Amino acid sequence: MDHAAVLAAFDRQIRRNTLSEKGTVVERVGGVVRQTGSESDWNGVLWADIDAATADGVIAEQVRHYTAAGREFEWKLHSYDRPADLAERLLAAGFVAEPEEAVMVAEAEALPAGPELPEGVRLVPVRDAAGVALMAEAHLAAFGEDDAALSERLGKRVLAQLTEAPDEIVAVVAMAGERPVCGARMEFRPGTGFAGLWGGGTAPDWRGKGIYRATVAYRARIAAERGYRYLQVDASDDSRPILDRLGFATLCTTTPYVYQP
């Protein structure tokens, strides 16, 4: 993989020129590419063409925009973004940094087949509200009740996507008997070569058994069948070693800076 070429394609296709999803508005205003949607949608700044002279004013404008809309939002800061002190400027403006993630990419057709699932575990496609409820239950099993509010928002978003734009999302849940133990989804970006992998958190007592790797392989096969060349993941410290072993390459790092109005 040509690291520089793939990073340039990611920056151009996913950050600078991303298209609006149903129910959201992506706009370029004053050198900033931002997305605004409902409370259950992702709201935030995807990319910004700013420098030391303009950064503080641009940051303040985004705070005004999202505060007027009554939306919590995040600024997706990537390790190659400028100016060099943008992180410090965001913190000074009232943002809170969440854990750093690695932006990892692999060619869908090059990924190995998934491991054999543990006995009694199966992957079930998610297509309706009942399936989304299982995904939410799996999320709580993986991350605990402290993440209940996020689980609820994700559930609303996934159900809306399945209902309004079913060709742009694939979701799956791993069932251990009748218990959901892992939920994962893939979002397609029409007009780009990238499909994004999200979720995949697994219940603690089912980790290390190949379930997450199986969901990656499941989604990779579908992405390749639909003509998407690359899979992209914002990987946590937990999933990064697994993705490394599967052949994903790290393009850069990204840190969400969250602002709550």
Side-chain angles (χ1 to χ4, degrees), residues 34-114:
R34 67 190 183 197
Q35 176 172 300
T36 308
S38 70
E39 291 183 353
S40 59
D41 291 315
W42 183 86
N43 290 270
V45 175
L46 293 157
W47 181 82
D49 180 16
I50 54 179
D51 57 26
T54 60
D56 291 338
V58 171
I59 292 170
E61 172 54 31
Q62 307 322 304
V63 170
R64 287 192 292 270
H65 168 75
Y66 285 105
T67 298
R71 297 288 181 264
E72 175 181 325
F73 77 104
E74 68 181 55
W75 189 299
K76 286 282 286 181
L77 179 65
H78 291 68
S79 52
Y80 59 91
D81 288 343
R82 295 293 179 266
D85 64 347
L86 183 53
E88 289 76 12
R89 293 171 184 267
L90 290 169
L91 293 172
F95 289 75
V96 176
E98 293 195 339
E100 181 183 87
E101 299 168 319
V103 179
M104 304 185 74
V105 170
E107 295 196 29
E109 291 189 342
L111 291 181

Side-chain angles (χ1 to χ4, degrees), residues 204-258:
D205 53 330
W206 284 95
R207 292 172 187 166
K209 302 180 186 296
I211 293 175
Y212 175 67
R213 284 177 289 156
T215 69
V216 172
Y218 173 90
R219 290 173 286 173
R221 186 184 72 250
I222 295 173
E225 289 172 351
R226 297 195 185 184
Y228 285 84
R229 181 174 181 180
Y230 298 112
L231 298 177
Q232 176 253 319
V233 186
D234 288 354
S236 67
D237 288 343
D238 290 333
S239 57
R240 183 172 183 174
I242 301 171
L243 295 167
D244 274 329
R245 291 193 293 271
L246 289 175
F248 279 75
T250 299
L251 294 183
C252 61
T253 61
T254 182
T255 304
Y257 284 79
V258 178

Side-chain angles (χ1 to χ4, degrees), residues 124 126 129-141 151 154-155 158 162 169-173 175 180 182-185 198-200:
V124 179
V126 172
V132 171
L134 291 174
M135 285 189 72
E137 189 176 339
H139 183 93
L140 290 178
S151 178
L154 286 174
V158 171
L162 289 170
I169 183 172
V170 164
V172 64
V173 62
M175 301 292 297
C182 177
R185 69 190 192 279
W198 306 96

Side-chain angles (χ1 to χ4, degrees), residues 146-162:
D146 289 345
D147 238 24
L150 175 59
S151 178
E152 182 179 357
R153 290 200 302 272
L154 286 174
K156 289 180 179 178
R157 177 179 176 181
V158 171
L159 184 57
Q161 289 174 301
L162 289 170

Side-chain angles (χ1 to χ4, degrees), residues 8 11 18 24 35 38 127 188 195 205 249 251:
D11 188 80
T18 191
T24 69
Q35 176 172 300
S38 70
R127 299 190 177 98
F188 300 105
D205 53 330
L251 294 183

